[in-house]
Amino acid sequence: MSVELIAYGCFFLTVALTYAIMCLGLNLQWGQTGLFNVGIAGFVAIGAYVSALLTTPDTAGRLGGFGLPMAVGWLGGALAAALVSYLVGRLTIRLRADYLAIATFGIAAAVQLCALNLEPVTGGPFGIGFIPRPFAAEAGNPLLFSLLNLALLVIVVLLLYLGLERLVRSPWGRVLRAIREDETAALALGKSATRFRLQAFAIGGGIMGLAGAAQAHFIGFIAPENYLPMLTFQVWAMLIVGGSGNNRGAILGAVLVWGIWAVSAALIAAVFDPAQQARAASLQIAIIGVAICAVLLLRPQGILGEIRTISRHLPSRAGKAQTAESRPE
Amino acid sequence: MNAAAPPPALATRALVAGYERDLPIVRGVDFEVAPAELVVILGPNGAGKSTLVKAIAGLVPIHAGQAFLAGADITASPVQEKVRHGLAFVPQTENIFATLTIQDNLQLAADILPRSEQAARIAEVYELFPDLAARRSACAGNLSGGQRQMLAVARALIVKPSVLILDEPSAGLSPKIVGEVFSRLKEINTAGITIVLVEQNVKAALAIAHRAVILVEGELRHDGPAATLADDPIVAQLYLGATPAGREEQR
Amino acid sequence: MNPQILVDGLIAGAMYGLGAIGVTLTYSILRFANFAHSELLTFGAYAALALSSALGVLSAGLLAPLGPFSFGWSLPLAAITAMALTGLLALAVDAVLFGRLRARRSSIIVMVMASFGAALTLRSLLEFVFTSKPAYFTRELQIALPLGGGMRATPDQLLALVLAIALVVAVHLLLTRTAIGRSMRAVSENQALAGVVGVDVRRVIRVVWLLGAVLACVAGIMAGLLVQLRPYMGFDLLLPLFAAAILGGIGSVPGAMLAGLIVGLAEAGTVQLVGAEWRTAVAFIILVLVLLLRPHGLFGRPQA
């Protein structure tokens, strides 16, 4: 096997793993807690921009960069995204379930707008370049460089996975599931149910921010168009395919869907002439949409499904949660 | 059943019902109400009284058995059809539309009648409930507890039902208002409308009822004239210590 | 301050109002935030475009501008058919997707997610069919008429404003004066009790889909006529529509219209005072303020 092929494989997997991190964050919010986030791209962007600001060298005409170590950037990105998640959750979690969805949708639009227009901070439409890359010293050796990067991402994903699994099995995780599955239990917990949901939402948002930071440093360049609603749709497709509620499913789904995405994009590029490519690409998104609906209708538990608990969110027992049809008292 | 006798106004055969199939709350109830009878359903908390009447009204799924209205099988008819067949139901809570006016609450019920009869029927019901007539354009949400209960009954009467089912009409009302509501129900019954009442307020209910049945753990345990039941030891046994104002089947 | 803000804001606001009425009605009856509503708007606009062009091919006379307006008979004719098609689309999506989930008593959030999936599908299919290139109902140029006080508006804009007001009044009368309107208000307050009273809830749901779809179609055609048609035109309106529906109070038709106008005016003011690039932030800020200060909106019932 040629070196290029292995390097490309590493590159592909590394990008896929950054998506896997986002997916893990979403799984904590939706899979474990039942909180619907339609603004993933916004939280990822916050992580990416904050980390870029913190770690890039001082740039004329732009705030920062502060040239701080990469780890500080990643941590800062995650914390900033967690803080924004906390504020959005604080505002909406006590209200109707779908107000959170609308608010996150709005946050993503607002972040996008800020990234475009706050030129002195974000670089505007041109974005931020020269973001330090991990193991830059080894860049001369493509194989080693890509292997090291992949290893770093594997370690991050593994640590997150183990941490989340612990969290899910802890009393805290059990309370989350109880709240998600049984509205009566949630009501009995009252204010603290809101607090648990809020914690899960903020941690999930922080993980998405971390993913944004990791991705920014791996690619070395960010711009507003990296964080369009499309990104949100892709991450949702990954979690749904992998199976919400299941952390291993979240990782598997990310790799699988990213693979399908890359292959189909390559196929489109090969089959259609350039004028028609954008058009054909819209079919890719249509398929994500159909997949979301089909999974909700046919296989709500995804490919791997949730371990331990039976299907929730859907029929019978979930009827105890807020249902679309008001239930006779 | 004697072929010559009229069919019961309301009947169930081995009725099994509950919110979830694997968790029946009503477990095989055979129950009959004769025309123009006033029957009260008693029983401890969680016995399935509310579930039984909600299942008959079409609000809780029936898993087995049948329900009949004047001999016609209404087991499978959807909730909005039952009222067209003459079965009116007054739920325990949220039994009026608080955001609609009194007039709109009644008009909504009258909408299923032929257009030409609607206004006259609403006027007739206003005659029965002059308090409501005086405030017809008021928002129903502004009514007191007793007035709400009267509006709920008035709304149910609009369609001239053959059977009127009420789920704990005395819940949350002061004793004085309970007396008013119950005497009103007695009048309605005397006018020929069959009434089925689920009640925790045993004394007040037995005072107006012809017959009482007792439901325990989803099964019918006792059936007899209301007058004798009032002194029956079985009632004492079932109700001593039970809080009369308690609510059942909170889900 | 430039008085033109008032005209621009009112015209955009009327469009938001129409869309928001559809959102608020479906929200109050179906009880979930329908992210696919914006796609009904886009679909309606493109359906009208396709039909109008087809009519133009059949008879070029239909394209000749009507009086002071920029479009010919082909557009109003196409619009009526497009409304019917949009209504059918809404009913079809309900039959295939939402109705089934409702029958299973799915949680609100599953419905929201399904609407999200439906929106992605519809939008991308529209993009596939019509491409992402902007399209126009007409190439006619219009001269803005002076309205006095330094304000100007084109005949098309004035027509849109009048049409929007007429539709709002019509929907308000439908809700408050007719039997079906009464049923809708009843279902919106208490679905189970509405059934007990004899209301056919499924019929009410169908009527609400039709009504919401027709209003979305009109709003979409207006947006297409006054600005342009793009596959993302509805998606970009989603935030202002949700903001207007929540600001007006879920279920309130006059509230949705008033809130639509408020959002429109606030946007026009922002464009003047801060800059056009921040226009889309207005809806978000309004949304956050409403959720913070008065979550049940201007005319909604306080409720969890």
Side-chain angles (χ1 to χ4, degrees), chain A:
Chain A
M1 229 191 317
S2 73
V3 170
E4 285 81 24
L5 206 61
I6 297 176
Y8 179 76
C10 290
F11 172 80
F12 165 81
L13 271 179
T14 312
V15 176
L17 286 180
T18 60
Y19 284 106
I21 302 176
M22 298 173 204
C23 235
L24 285 172
L26 183 62
N27 190 35
L28 180 59
Q29 293 180 341
W30 167 252
Q32 305 295 342
T33 323
L35 298 169
F36 191 62
N37 182 348
V38 217
I40 301 165
F43 300 103
V44 174
I46 291 172
Y49 272 97
V50 169
S51 184
L53 274 179
L54 290 176
T55 55
T56 44
D58 194 21
T59 315
R62 179 165 68 70
L63 177 76
F66 297 99
L68 294 168
M70 211 176 298
V72 176
W74 289 30
L75 203 63
L79 284 177
L83 178 69
V84 175
S85 310
Y86 175 81
L87 293 176
V88 176
R90 187 72 200 275
L91 185 64
T92 49
I93 283 181
R94 71 203 151 85
L95 303 171
R96 306 177 57 126
D98 31 14
Y99 279 13
L100 177 69
I102 297 173
T104 52
F105 181 76
I107 269 282
V111 168
Q112 172 78 31
L113 207 64
C114 290
L116 262 177
N117 294 330
L118 288 179
E119 249 184 88
V121 183
T122 62
F126 308 108
I128 300 178
F130 304 108
I131 302 171
R133 307 180 65 177
F135 313 109
E138 311 297 335
N141 181 345
L143 185 59
L144 183 63
F145 178 66
S146 46
L147 277 174
L148 283 172
N149 268 294
L150 178 60
L152 175 65
L153 259 289
V154 167
I155 290 168
V156 171
V157 170
L158 202 65
L159 286 177
L160 266 179
Y161 169 76
L162 293 175
L164 283 169
E165 282 292 302
R166 268 194 86 121
L167 213 54
V168 165
R169 282 162 217 270
S170 70
W172 185 80
R174 282 200 295 278
V175 173
L176 280 189
R177 272 194 308 282
I179 294 170
R180 183 193 66 193
E181 281 171 33
D182 192 339
E183 196 65 16
T184 335
L187 285 177
L189 283 166
K191 276 217 177 80
S192 52
T194 308
R195 207 176 62 227
F196 277 109
R197 284 185 169 132
L198 199 48
Q199 287 165 354
F201 193 71
I203 296 174
I207 295 174
M208 290 174 188
L210 177 68
Q215 208 173 47
H217 286 268
F218 177 64
I219 295 166
F221 169 81
I222 54 175
E225 78 250 22
N226 298 357
Y227 307 104
L228 294 175
M230 177 66 149
L231 175 63
T232 301
F233 308 152
Q234 285 172 326
V235 179
W236 266 105
M238 290 165 182
L239 183 66
I240 286 174
V241 166
S244 68
N246 182 330
N247 284 324
R248 255 178 294 169
I251 299 170
L252 180 78
V255 176
L256 208 64
V257 169
W258 185 240
I260 296 172
W261 193 264
V263 168
S264 60
L267 220 65
I268 285 172
V271 173
F272 293 91
D273 64 285
Q276 297 295 321
Q277 277 175 16
R279 200 169 173 184
S282 61
L283 279 186
Q284 275 184 303
I285 311 175
I287 290 166
I288 292 190
V290 172
I292 291 178
C293 296
V295 166
L296 288 177
L297 283 173
L298 305 172
R299 196 175 160 78
Q301 68 274 36
I303 290 178
L304 287 188
E306 185 170 1
I307 307 162
R308 290 181 309 268
T309 35
I310 351 141
S311 115
R312 338 77 38 195
H313 297 322
L314 273 180
S316 62
R317 319 220 165 248
K320 282 179 202 144
Q322 283 180 293
T323 52
E325 301 216 21
S326 78
R327 244 181 123 88
E329 248 311 294

Side-chain angles (χ1 to χ4, degrees), chain A residues 109-110 113 117, chain C residues 236 239-240 267 270 276-285:
Chain A
L113 207 64
N117 294 330
Chain C
D236 291 341
L239 202 54
E267 282 192 1
T270 306
E277 71 273 22
W278 291 104
R279 194 174 64 97
T280 43
V282 173
F284 179 68
I285 292 168

Side-chain angles (χ1 to χ4, degrees), chain B residues 27-39:
Chain B
R27 294 182 245 178
V29 168
D30 286 287
F31 172 58
E32 272 189 15
V33 186
E37 203 179 8
L38 200 168
V39 176

Side-chain angles (χ1 to χ4, degrees), chain A residues 324-325, chain C residues 30 94 98-106 111 205:
Chain A
E325 301 216 21
Chain C
L30 301 161
D94 189 57
F98 299 124
R100 290 191 191 184
L101 293 173
R102 243 189 345 263
R104 290 184 194 165
R105 301 190 170 177
S106 301
M111 304 292 280
I205 287 177

Side-chain angles (χ1 to χ4, degrees), chain C residues 12-283:
Chain C
M15 209 163 66
Y16 291 159
L18 276 190
I21 291 173
V23 169
T24 208
L25 283 179
T26 47
Y27 199 151
S28 72
I29 303 268
L30 301 161
R31 290 162 199 281
F32 70 94
N34 180 12
F35 277 77
H37 191 81
S38 54
E39 269 35 72
L40 294 176
L41 205 132
T42 315
F43 176 86
Y46 273 106
L49 177 72
L51 291 162
S52 169
S53 318
L55 285 173
V57 170
L58 289 179
S59 156
L62 289 173
L63 291 177
L66 267 172
F69 302 115
S70 70
F71 51 87
W73 273 111
S74 66
L75 185 60
L77 291 175
I80 290 169
T81 323
M83 286 181 214
L85 288 177
T86 313
L88 281 179
L89 175 71
L91 291 182
V93 173
D94 189 57
V96 174
L97 187 63
F98 299 124
R100 290 191 191 184
L101 293 173
R102 243 189 345 263
R104 290 184 194 165
R105 301 190 170 177
S106 301
S107 65
I108 287 179
I109 217 67
V110 165
M111 304 292 280
V112 175
M113 196 162 155
S115 78
F116 187 71
L120 270 187
T121 312
L122 284 172
R123 187 187 320 135
S124 308
L125 287 179
L126 283 171
E127 188 174 350
F128 179 72
V129 174
F130 293 98
T131 76
S132 51
K133 231 174 43 205
Y136 300 87
F137 281 115
T138 156
R139 293 285 179 183
E140 294 286 328
L141 283 179
Q142 276 206 308
I143 297 162
L145 310 171
L147 302 175
M151 296 182 285
R152 289 176 160 273
T154 65
D156 284 3
Q157 288 177 325
L158 292 176
L159 177 73
L161 199 59
V162 170
L163 194 61
I165 292 167
L167 277 172
V168 173
V169 172
V171 173
H172 185 67
L173 290 178
L174 178 85
L175 272 181
T176 51
R177 301 286 158 85
T178 66
I180 185 70
R182 207 159 28 241
S183 305
M184 282 162 64
R185 284 184 290 146
V187 172
S188 139
E189 182 184 328
N190 186 338
Q191 198 162 314
L193 184 62
V196 166
V197 175
V199 174
D200 185 345
V201 174
R202 282 188 303 181
R203 178 166 160 263
V204 169
I205 287 177
R206 283 197 297 273
V207 171
V208 166
W209 275 120
L210 279 176
L211 197 59
V214 165
L215 292 171
C217 180
V218 175
I221 293 174
M222 275 184 194
L225 188 64
L226 303 182
V227 192
Q228 56 181 205
L229 293 101
R230 286 177 305 114
Y232 272 74
M233 62 192 283
F235 183 82
D236 291 341
L237 284 174
L238 201 49
L239 202 54
L241 295 195
F242 276 137
I246 293 177
L247 172 61
I250 294 299
S252 166
V253 168
M257 193 63 207
L258 182 66
L261 293 175
I262 292 174
V263 174
L265 287 170
E267 282 192 1
T270 306
V271 168
Q272 273 288 318
L273 302 174
V274 188
E277 71 273 22
W278 291 104
R279 194 174 64 97
T280 43
V282 173

